[in-house]
Amino acid sequence: MFEVLVYVYENYWQGDACPELQQLGRKLTAVGFEAEEIQAALVWLDGLNLAAQGTQICLPPAEPQGLSHSLATSQDVQAQSLGSLRVYSVTEQEHLGAETLGFVSFLESSGVLPPHMREIVIDRAMAAPGDPVTLDDLKIIVLMVYWSFGQEPDALVLDELCDDTAQRLAH
């Protein structure tokens, strides 16, 4: 499935250029991916599309006294405050593993993964195969979440997501 997602990211790097899922499935078949991989990727992408469409940030005009911004969803929900903490369920901890949760925490504390995108990353990682999800697979998921919002991560984040860290030499 992840090979299909990488292909989609590389060939339709502007999310709005990606064809509808049924047409995308035909194109992926023509490229030579296996039907089972294509189906898993299309189901996963459909979930990503639903999550991205359901999460829209509406930033109100600048408010005095630094009040938090609201999140525009089906309910009126407040955005995460600076002092809040994301607690992962046992199921999430087991499926994601310590390494991937540490990487999500790193991205979030670096300011490159806002809470609404983090939640989509966690949701899509929970829908991904693997127990636990590998760090390389999580990096693909993060790229796909950025892609679904029509955003490209900055160069340093992109380097961290795409670089093979196994070949790095510590100084």
Side-chain angles (χ1 to χ4, degrees):
M1 177 184 87
F2 287 102
E3 291 174 0
V4 175
L5 295 177
V6 169
Y7 178 86
V8 169
Y9 182 83
E10 289 176 346
N11 289 279
Y12 304 104
W13 60 271
Q14 291 181 317
D16 56 352
C18 187
E20 301 224 2
L21 294 180
Q22 190 175 27
Q23 184 180 4
L24 177 61
R26 287 191 299 270
K27 289 184 179 219
L28 293 169
T29 300
V31 171
F33 287 107
E34 294 181 21
E36 188 176 295
E37 286 184 15
I38 293 170
Q39 183 59 31
L42 293 179
V43 168
W44 191 91
L45 283 170
D46 187 46
L48 177 62
N49 290 338
L50 289 172
Q53 289 172 0
T55 306
Q56 299 175 2
I57 298 297
C58 179
L59 300 176
E63 299 177 21
Q65 304 169 352
L67 297 176
S68 65
H69 302 295
S70 63
L71 181 64
T73 60
S74 59
Q75 300 174 350
D76 187 20
V77 180
Q78 292 273 325
Q80 179 175 316
S81 68
L82 293 175
S84 64
L85 175 68
R86 171 61 156 93
V87 178
Y88 294 95
S89 70
V90 173
T91 305
E92 289 172 331
Q93 291 176 37
E94 289 173 352
H95 186 70
L96 300 175
E99 185 178 34
T100 55
L101 285 174
F103 190 72
V104 168
S105 178
F106 162 72
L107 292 175
E108 190 176 10
S109 66
S110 299
V112 297
L113 189 65
H116 70 282
M117 289 177 79
R118 176 204 59 217
E119 290 306 311
I120 295 174
V121 167
I122 298 300
D123 174 69
R124 295 294 75 213
M126 292 298 292
D131 210 12
V133 173
T134 67
L135 184 57
D136 288 339
D137 291 347
L138 181 80
K139 289 178 179 183
I140 294 167
I141 292 169
V142 172
L143 280 174
M144 294 304 294
V145 169
Y146 271 101
W147 175 81
S148 72
F149 280 93
Q151 298 177 6
E152 185 175 327
D154 69 21
L156 292 175
V157 175
L158 194 58
D159 183 52
E160 185 66 35
L161 293 173
C162 296
D163 189 28
D164 183 11
T165 57
Q167 302 299 323
R168 287 187 185 168
L169 181 61
H171 296 278

